[in-house]
Amino acid sequence: MDTSHHLLLLLMLLHYEAGFSHNCLKILPDSNSRIALEVGKNFTATCHLLEGSAHTSDDIEWTMRDIPIPKQFYHKINETAVSVTVNISSDMRGWLRCKAKESQPDCYIYGISLHPGYPPLKPTNLSCIAVQEGEDISPNLNCSWDSGSRNPLFDTTYNVFAYITILNKTYTGDCKQHHLDRYCVVNLERFPHHVRLKVWVEVKNVLGSERSEQLENYSEYFVKPNPPLNIQVLTEDNFSTSLMVTWEPPIQEYVLTLSYAIRYRKASSDVWVEVAESLTKGYTFRLQSLEPYTQYVVQIRCIGENHSGYWSNWSAGVTGHASEDKPASAPDLWRIIRSTSNNRNVTLVWKAPVKANGKILGYYLNICHDYVMIESRNITADNRLMYLMKLPPGKNASIELTAYNSVGASPKATLFIPRSGEDLPGVKNMSWSVRDEKLQVQWTSLPVGLRLSEYLLEWVTVPQLQAGWQRVSSKVHNTTLNGDLKKFQRYNISVYPIYKYQQAGRPVTRPAYVQQGIPEKGPNVTQTKSKKNSAELTWNEIPLERQRGFITNYTIFYAIGSTKQWKSVTVNPNVQSYLLMDLASETDYVVNIMASTVAGSVKGIDYNFKTLKYGDGEVEVIVVVVCLSFLFLTVFIIMFCLRKREVIKKLLWPQVPDPSDSSIAHWSPDFPIKADVPKEDVSMVEVDVFDGKSLCEEDKAELPLKKDKYLSEEHSSGIGGSSCTSSPRHSISDSDSGDSGQTSASTLQYSSVVAGAHKGQTPSHQPLAFARSESTQPLLDSEEHPEHLSESSGQSRSLYMRRGREPELGVLGQDSSGASLTFSPVQEEETPVAEDLPASALSYIPQQNSYRPQ
Amino acid sequence: MNCHVRNMVCLSQRSQAKFRIIILILILIAVELVHPTMPCKHENCSQVLHRSLKLTKSMAKRSAEILETYKTSQGDSADLICDMQMDNVPVSTISGQTMSERILSVYTHLKEFLPHMKTVMEQQKDLNPPTNLVVEGLHSMITHVHHIALRVNCILQILQPNIPIPEPAERPTGIPPAQNIFQQKAYGCIVLSRLQELLSQAVQEQKSLKGKLCRKRNKDQFLMN
């Protein structure tokens, strides 16, 4: 490189000396085109002041792309020449100029254009391929190589040369391609056979050239044939484990002798198995050790014999089907037991044999109870692979199952179900986890010596109860469930130890999810029991198929309806009711419940309720208090009345003077009141208005005990004294009237005439009697004026009698229906007067009241 | 004096050694020049024979195929016209007594057939579409027969390395240009038939060299060393 630069410099100098230029400055080396320079190398340029210039070398300045070059890179050669040396970098593409200070306008600057770059790299990994074309090999030799990743920054040409030694002739492929292209075709006119070829590639640019290593070999080593033709995969009826493969060569053997390779795979698999041996003789091959009744895909490729040249592409896959054989493995038999009160419902389920070796046509099922055959069935494969049976708790069962196809039957699958309560021990410490979206189950191995044959893992969808299972070795204590377990679906995972004779031990079951999600819907409040300051909420559990995960907790949100200021309470997932406390009375509340899983939460629908105004028992307390208050008030009033009865009596009934004490008239007991007294029985009724003791002293003595009775009879019997009037002792009051008069000075005794007695009584023993009033009150006007008696007494008596008669009607009616009315004559006489009752009845109100204490 | 004599002797010995070297170089140059083709030296004896035999075999089969294709393309009278006599076509008979002579005969005949094959190809181009199978096959055959001839030449070089191999004269086929179509068909069939016979015989001749050629070569080399 340096030599060429020096030569160029010399030429430029000669050119300059020859006087072809008229510039004041000149740079050497000089060129009409860009000066190619290798990146990383030093480059020296010299600026010369031409003859006649008024400047010296000190006036010279160098610039690279208009950027001054530091003085330390200058080298003063003499008074008219200054050189500069720069290290070429890839970004130095542009003008290198030298300039004389204050130079004349037409000759103060001169420049050369630099073009940095790299020389070509040596091509490596050259390979050339001649593909098959029809019945022959293409004369085009397709060559490729690795030219490196460095961009030479110059136009670079590649040429591929192919030399055929026996012809002593070289063919060239002029690629005319870009510097980074690495593919070229050499046309050999006609592809030579069995001759040696030498191939190499040459690369050139302005900075140099490189030549690759020679690729020398026989022409066959450059050939890539087509894949074999007409491949057939033939089933051999009597050989269920083999397939015959035939093919034809892609090219005449005399042109190119080929070796073949075969590979095959199951149609259901992506794993290829390549036949190890290299096949050169014939165009058939028998694939052996295949699985019966299995579809295989076969491909073949070829290469020049002795592995010369290139492998062809694999042929298109051809499918063949191995013939049937009898099943080589037993069906996988399992059971699902659901115990009832007095029986066990056993569902036998099974899977077809893994090595069915053909189309399974059906199954033979034998069932023994207590080692006695009770059932033998042939179940076609069209049905579901399950069978239902009942097994009493006190019996064991042995089940045998074989599958059969058109060739034969499989080995037996057996299962033993012991009597209830005779289960063998189960595993311990069973747990599960999720890994790569698969359920991984772990458990503690059972101790050695239990004649354990394997473990069975069962998964049952909840609540649909669809079961799947898999078996693992007894040496395994964790495994991944290989079933197609769905996300958000609850499974009950069980681990069964399987003992000898296929007897399952006690299962250990855990609920599990492959992936948990947010529940589909939140729980809804179904019921509330509102109280004054609390409310009990009840909600239903979310159905299992909608839970999509384990409920971690419920959160109850509640707020006063209008405020929406939510409060919340979190409860455990096993709680379905909750008592909200500290609520305001008679207030509308909104409540909803949020169910949470590890994946998230979802709220239920809002529910409204209203708290009550009164709490429990408040109403009752109020009623009781009011009643008690009333009672106490009543008692108080009564007590008050009793205590102040004299005062009250005086206030209500002013004292009437006793007529007997009057000095005007004298009572004559022998004087008949009226000459024409009717001869009917007349009973005298002594009515003491104010003193209860005046009547029926015995009854009064029994008053507390018979109060109710009296009260009940008050209306039914009319005047209570009716019973008393039946008593002869009370019918005539003269004997007691004195007592009455003695006990109470204020007693006002009126004489009453009782006409006759009850029909059942003996009127003969009751002589007519007159009740004499002992009152000290002055006589009424009628008494004082007997002349008016016939008029007024008749009226007053008749009124009195009428009051006495009304209840008597009832009494009499009850006692003796046939008896005539006691006061009927009087009544008959006084009947017209009775029409004036309202006017005179007021005079007898005190008499009526006199019965109340009774 | 002694010294002079000694010096003279020394000089004489030195000049003799130089002379021998020069002679040896000249001999080597002469040998190299005598060698008509350089390519043969890139392969050993067995490879040359093996490759030549394989190529000849494949071309023998190929020529049989082309002949069959040719006959098929000529119609029912193909067998008849192929049995015709035509003097200007080289015979396929291998002559010679020794191994070298017979191989040389093969080489010579192969060289002789090449112009006839080209003529047939040209005729077939005129008679049939230029891209027919016979033309294509002949085109390929010409190249490969040429390669076989070169291979056989290499064998000859092995058999008789010091004897220049006489090249057959590049002469015209001797077929009058004014052949009619029937004559062209007959000519083509005869050329292909005889070529196929020649290649078959060439295969046999080369097979006969197995176990002899390379052993002899090795023995010669051993003797030379």
Side-chain angles (χ1 to χ4, degrees):
Chain A
M1 191 68 191
D2 290 340
T3 308
S4 62
H5 277 165
H6 290 151
L7 187 59
L8 189 62
L9 193 67
L10 184 61
L11 288 171
M12 293 298 121
L13 187 61
L14 289 173
H15 177 74
Y16 154 69
E17 291 297 337
F20 290 112
S21 173
H22 300 286
N23 290 331
C24 300
L25 295 171
K26 194 72 176 176
I27 296 177
L28 296 177
D30 194 7
S31 174
N32 293 329
S33 59
R34 292 175 177 176
I35 298 174
L37 300 170
E38 186 176 351
V39 174
K41 297 285 179 66
N42 286 333
F43 171 70
T44 301
T46 306
C47 184
H48 294 269
L49 290 168
L50 298 185
E51 192 174 341
S53 172
H55 296 92
T56 64
S57 57
D58 295 334
D59 300 327
I60 292 175
E61 286 183 350
W62 286 94
T63 59
M64 182 70 219
R65 294 196 300 179
D66 297 331
I67 299 171
I69 298 173
K71 293 282 187 184
Q72 63 262 29
F73 297 107
Y74 293 6
H75 175 65
K76 183 177 178 181
I77 298 171
N78 53 37
E79 289 299 319
T80 61
V82 173
S83 67
V84 66
T85 302
V86 292
N87 188 267
I88 301 299
S89 61
S90 58
D91 60 350
M92 283 186 173
R93 187 170 181 168
W95 287 98
L96 175 67
R97 292 189 176 97
C98 79
K99 186 171 68 176
K101 290 178 185 175
E102 299 174 0
S103 177
Q104 296 171 11
D106 57 345
C107 63
Y108 73 99
I109 191 165
Y110 197 86
I112 55 174
S113 178
L114 305 185
H115 188 176
Y118 297 95
L121 294 172
K122 183 178 180 179
T124 55
N125 298 328
L126 174 65
S127 66
C128 297
I129 297 175
V131 298
Q132 182 182 344
E133 195 173 77
E135 293 289 322
D136 211 335
I137 307 298
S138 169
N140 293 322
L141 200 58
N142 303 293
C143 297
S144 62
W145 58 91
D146 185 0
S147 58
S149 59
R150 188 178 74 181
N151 186 347
L153 303 175
F154 293 115
D155 289 337
T156 304
T157 58
Y158 293 84
N159 287 300
V160 176
F161 300 93
Y163 174 69
I164 301 176
T165 53
I166 200 165
L167 298 176
N168 197 20
K169 187 175 181 181
T170 301
Y171 297 88
T172 305
D174 187 7
C175 305
K176 294 180 181 176
Q177 291 167 344
H178 194 257
H179 53 83
L180 285 179
D181 286 346
R182 43 195 172 181
Y183 179 82
C184 195
V185 178
V186 184
N187 189 285
L188 302 177
E189 297 175 2
R190 187 156 296 278
F191 189 82
H193 292 286
H194 305 290
V195 297
R196 288 189 76 82
L197 274 175
K198 287 181 184 177
V199 185
W200 68 95
V201 59
E202 285 184 0
V203 54
K204 286 181 183 175
N205 67 16
V206 292
L207 291 180
S209 65
E210 287 288 347
R211 178 174 169 164
S212 70
E213 299 290 335
Q214 271 192 351
L215 194 65
E216 182 179 3
N217 218 324
Y218 282 100
S219 56
E220 288 75 23
Y221 283 84
F222 296 89
V223 172
K224 179 183 179 181
N226 287 339
L229 305 172
N230 300 328
I231 299 168
Q232 288 184 307
V233 182
L234 307 173
T235 301
E236 295 185 297
D237 289 339
N238 296 325
F239 300 96
S240 59
T241 58
S242 66
L243 284 171
M244 181 65 78
V245 183
T246 64
W247 67 92
E248 292 176 7
I251 195 168
Q252 292 291 346
E253 194 177 4
Y254 59 79
V255 179
L256 192 65
T257 307
L258 296 171
S259 296
Y260 299 89
I262 298 178
R263 69 176 183 178
Y264 62 93
R265 64 173 171 87
K266 290 180 186 175
S268 58
S269 169
D270 293 328
V271 180
W272 290 97
V273 178
E274 191 161 349
V275 176
E277 57 188 303
S278 181
L279 312 169
T280 55
K281 302 292 182 185
Y283 304 120
T284 62
F285 187 78
R286 178 178 278 115
L287 296 173
Q288 294 179 318
S289 303
L290 305 178
E291 292 181 13
Y293 199 66
T294 304
Q295 199 169 31
Y296 285 91
V297 179
V298 180
Q299 288 183 327
I300 308 176
R301 65 177 179 175
C302 55
I303 193 172
E305 64 176 339
N306 301 323
H307 284 206
S308 59
Y310 296 91
W311 280 105
S312 71
N313 295 331
W314 286 103
S315 66
V318 179
T319 303
H321 210 281
S323 58
E324 275 192 83
D325 197 359
K326 65 180 181 181
S329 65
D332 188 356
L333 176 63
W334 183 233
R335 87 291 183 279
I336 299 166
I337 301 175
R338 313 228 180 278
S339 296
T340 60
S341 57
N342 56 356
N343 216 337
R344 289 185 288 175
N345 294 326
V346 179
T347 305
L348 298 175
V349 289
W350 61 88
K351 298 174 187 172
V354 175
K355 296 177 181 176
N357 291 348
K359 184 183 179 183
I360 298 296
L361 302 176
Y363 299 88
Y364 296 121
L365 177 67
N366 294 326
I367 300 171
C368 298
H369 283 184
D370 285 345
Y371 310 105
V372 177
M373 173 79 75
I374 63 156
E375 200 164 5
S376 181
R377 282 185 172 272
N378 180 11
I379 301 169
T380 60
D382 301 331
N383 298 322
R384 293 181 63 189
L385 304 184
M386 59 182 295
Y387 184 77
L388 302 175
M389 59 178 260
K390 290 189 181 299
L391 180 64
K395 289 189 175 182
N396 63 35
S398 302
I399 299 111
E400 291 180 353
L401 184 74
T402 54
Y404 63 89
N405 63 13
S406 62
V407 180
S410 73
K412 280 190 297 189
T414 59
L415 188 67
F416 182 78
I417 304 174
R419 296 182 180 88
S420 292
E422 293 183 358
D423 288 333
L424 292 172
V427 300
K428 293 179 179 176
N429 302 325
M430 181 260 198
S431 62
W432 60 270
S433 58
V434 178
R435 193 171 188 178
D436 298 333
E437 298 188 345
K438 293 273 187 183
L439 275 182
Q440 198 167 41
V441 184
Q442 302 89 28
W443 63 92
T444 302
S445 299
L446 287 168
V448 182
L450 287 175
R451 297 203 291 183
L452 191 69
S453 62
E454 61 188 354
Y455 291 105
L456 185 142
L457 287 93
E458 180 192 71
W459 56 91
V460 180
T461 59
V462 180
Q464 299 89 344
L465 301 179
Q466 293 173 344
W469 71 94
Q470 72 182 67
R471 298 170 189 269
V472 295
S473 165
S474 61
K475 295 173 183 174
V476 171
H477 54 85
N478 67 69
T479 190
T480 301
L481 299 186
N482 56 19
D484 183 20
L485 274 62
K486 297 174 183 171
K487 296 176 181 176
F488 316 131
Q489 168 70 53
R490 177 175 286 202
Y491 291 92
N492 279 338
I493 309 295
S494 303
V495 178
Y496 293 82
I498 306 296
Y499 296 93
K500 198 175 179 184
Y501 307 119
Q502 288 297 304
Q503 180 177 350
R506 272 191 297 276
V508 179
T509 304
R510 300 273 185 278
Y513 283 91
V514 175
Q515 184 179 335
Q516 297 191 53
I518 301 171
E520 278 185 21
K521 56 173 282 190
N524 294 331
V525 177
T526 57
Q527 189 181 356
T528 57
K529 292 179 182 173
S530 299
K531 294 182 180 177
K532 184 179 179 183
N533 298 113
S534 64
E536 185 176 6
L537 306 175
T538 305
W539 61 92
N540 289 336
E541 189 180 9
I542 302 170
L544 277 174
E545 64 270 22
R546 291 189 163 190
Q547 287 188 7
R548 295 158 63 94
F550 294 114
I551 303 294
T552 53
N553 58 57
Y554 291 107
T555 307
I556 303 165
F557 294 92
Y558 62 100
I560 294 174
S562 58
T563 61
K564 297 291 182 186
Q565 292 176 348
W566 295 96
K567 296 178 181 176
S568 65
V569 179
T570 301
V571 297
N572 289 330
N574 54 350
V575 174
Q576 257 86 48
S577 69
Y578 186 77
L579 184 64
L580 291 176
M581 305 291 287
D582 299 331
L583 302 179
S585 61
E586 204 179 6
T587 306
D588 287 319
Y589 276 90
V590 182
V591 64
N592 65 47
I593 298 174
M594 182 175 75
S596 301
T597 65
V598 292
S601 306
V602 65
K603 282 185 175 179
I605 300 170
D606 286 355
Y607 184 85
N608 298 296
F609 68 90
K610 186 175 183 179
T611 51
L612 300 178
K613 188 174 182 180
Y614 298 104
D616 286 343
E618 278 187 5
V619 174
E620 288 82 348
V621 168
I622 291 169
V623 170
V624 168
V625 167
V626 169
C627 291
L628 286 175
S629 302
F630 183 75
L631 183 63
F632 289 143
L633 183 64
T634 306
V635 170
F636 175 76
I637 291 170
I638 291 170
M639 292 297 291
F640 180 78
C641 291
L642 289 175
R643 279 184 173 271
K644 302 292 182 183
R645 64 180 182 277
E646 295 300 329
V647 176
I648 295 169
K649 189 165 74 177
K650 286 179 180 177
L651 286 174
L652 295 178
W653 296 282
Q655 194 170 11
V656 179
D658 189 354
S660 62
D661 294 336
S662 69
S663 56
I664 299 172
H666 294 275
W667 179 264
S668 175
D670 296 329
F671 182 78
I673 295 173
K674 200 173 182 180
D676 52 351
V677 172
K679 292 182 179 177
E680 291 91 351
D681 293 338
V682 177
S683 296
M684 298 279 298
V685 178
E686 183 184 23
V687 178
D688 190 349
V689 176
F690 300 107
D691 192 353
K693 292 180 181 176
S694 62
L695 289 174
C696 303
E697 286 296 330
E698 292 176 4
D699 290 346
K700 284 186 178 180
E702 295 172 3
L703 181 61
L705 296 173
K706 296 182 178 179
K707 182 181 179 182
D708 293 338
K709 184 180 175 184
Y710 289 131
L711 288 172
S712 63
E713 290 175 352
E714 186 176 8
H715 298 290
S716 62
S717 59
I719 300 170
S722 62
S723 60
C724 298
T725 54
S726 64
S727 171
R729 192 168 60 93
H730 291 127
S731 62
I732 299 170
S733 61
D734 55 347
S735 60
D736 294 334
S737 61
D739 296 338
S740 299
Q742 290 169 357
T743 53
S744 177
S746 62
T747 299
L748 178 59
Q749 292 186 344
Y750 291 91
S751 299
S752 298
V753 179
V754 177
H758 289 291
K759 198 170 180 74
Q761 292 175 337
T762 51
S764 58
H765 295 291
Q766 294 181 356
L768 288 173
F770 296 95
R772 183 176 58 90
S773 174
E774 296 178 357
S775 175
T776 58
Q777 290 181 344
L779 286 174
L780 295 174
D781 189 35
S782 59
E783 290 175 325
E784 292 178 352
H785 304 282
E787 63 272 19
H788 297 147
L789 186 61
S790 59
E791 298 173 5
S792 62
S793 66
Q795 186 177 357
S796 64
R797 285 178 69 86
S798 68
L799 286 174
Y800 173 70
M801 289 305 177
R802 186 175 176 273
R803 288 296 300 174
R805 177 187 159 268
E806 284 176 357
E808 280 297 315
L809 286 173
V811 172
L812 293 173
Q814 288 175 354
D815 292 344
S816 59
S817 59
S820 61
L821 289 174
T822 309
F823 298 101
S824 57
V826 178
Q827 191 177 17
E828 285 173 0
E829 291 178 3
E830 300 301 326
T831 300
V833 181
E835 295 297 324
D836 300 326
L837 178 63
S840 59
L842 291 172
S843 63
Y844 285 93
I845 288 172
Q847 191 176 9
Q848 285 177 327
N849 289 339
S850 67
Y851 286 93
R852 290 292 178 189
Q854 288 182 341
Chain B
M1 184 64 185
N2 290 335
C3 183
H4 270 289
V5 171
R6 200 184 308 148
N7 287 342
M8 288 181 68
V9 171
C10 291
L11 286 171
S12 171
Q13 287 175 343
R14 284 177 186 170
S15 58
Q16 281 180 358
K18 286 180 181 175
F19 181 73
R20 284 175 186 168
I21 291 169
I22 290 169
I23 290 294
L24 187 61
I25 291 169
L26 289 174
I27 290 171
L28 286 172
I29 291 170
V31 167
E32 289 299 315
L33 289 174
V34 166
H35 266 278
T37 52
M38 293 281 285
C40 298
K41 66 177 184 180
H42 293 285
E43 297 172 275
N44 62 38
C45 172
S46 58
Q47 280 181 335
V48 168
L49 182 59
H50 175 68
R51 294 287 168 182
S52 178
L53 183 56
K54 288 195 78 168
L55 184 57
T56 310
K57 272 184 185 177
S58 67
M59 287 306 114
K61 289 180 181 176
R62 181 71 176 137
S63 64
E65 276 189 1
I66 293 173
L67 178 61
E68 200 64 31
T69 307
Y70 184 88
K71 286 180 178 176
T72 306
S73 65
Q74 305 310 315
D76 296 335
S77 59
D79 289 333
L80 185 64
I81 59 175
C82 287
D83 291 337
M84 289 178 63
Q85 293 294 321
M86 199 165 282
D87 297 334
N88 294 321
V89 179
V91 294
S92 58
T93 309
I94 305 300
S95 59
Q97 298 296 318
T98 65
M99 201 183 298
S100 301
E101 289 172 353
R102 296 184 71 82
I103 295 298
L104 180 61
S105 176
V106 169
Y107 176 70
T108 307
H109 279 83
L110 288 172
K111 283 281 198 179
E112 287 175 349
F113 264 94
L114 283 172
H116 289 275
M117 292 168 69
K118 288 176 183 171
T119 303
V120 172
M121 186 178 73
E122 295 301 325
Q123 289 176 347
Q124 288 298 312
K125 279 182 183 176
D126 296 335
L127 289 174
N128 295 303
T131 56
N132 67 75
L133 290 175
V134 174
V135 174
E136 284 294 310
L138 278 170
H139 192 96
S140 173
M141 281 292 291
I142 290 167
T143 305
H144 294 306
V145 167
H146 178 56
H147 291 171
I148 293 170
L150 293 172
R151 284 283 179 197
V152 172
N153 188 289
C154 288
I155 294 172
L156 277 173
Q157 289 178 48
I158 295 168
L159 284 170
Q160 44 186 20
N162 301 325
I163 301 171
I165 297 164
E167 288 293 317
E170 288 281 343
R171 58 175 182 264
T173 57
I175 299 298
Q179 278 185 315
N180 60 29
I181 293 174
F182 179 78
Q183 288 172 325
Q184 288 180 18
K185 287 185 173 182
Y187 170 68
C189 191
I190 292 166
V191 169
L192 288 174
S193 299
R194 292 186 182 177
L195 175 65
Q196 198 267 325
E197 290 170 6
L198 172 65
L199 291 171
S200 298
Q201 290 186 55
V203 169
Q204 295 304 318
E205 292 298 329
Q206 290 178 65
K207 277 185 177 176
S208 67
L209 292 176
K210 274 189 174 179
K212 299 175 186 172
L213 176 68
C214 297
R215 189 172 59 189
K216 182 176 181 295
R217 170 75 170 168
N218 292 337
K219 193 187 290 180
D220 290 345
Q221 286 177 343
F222 177 76
L223 290 173
M224 283 179 70
N225 292 333

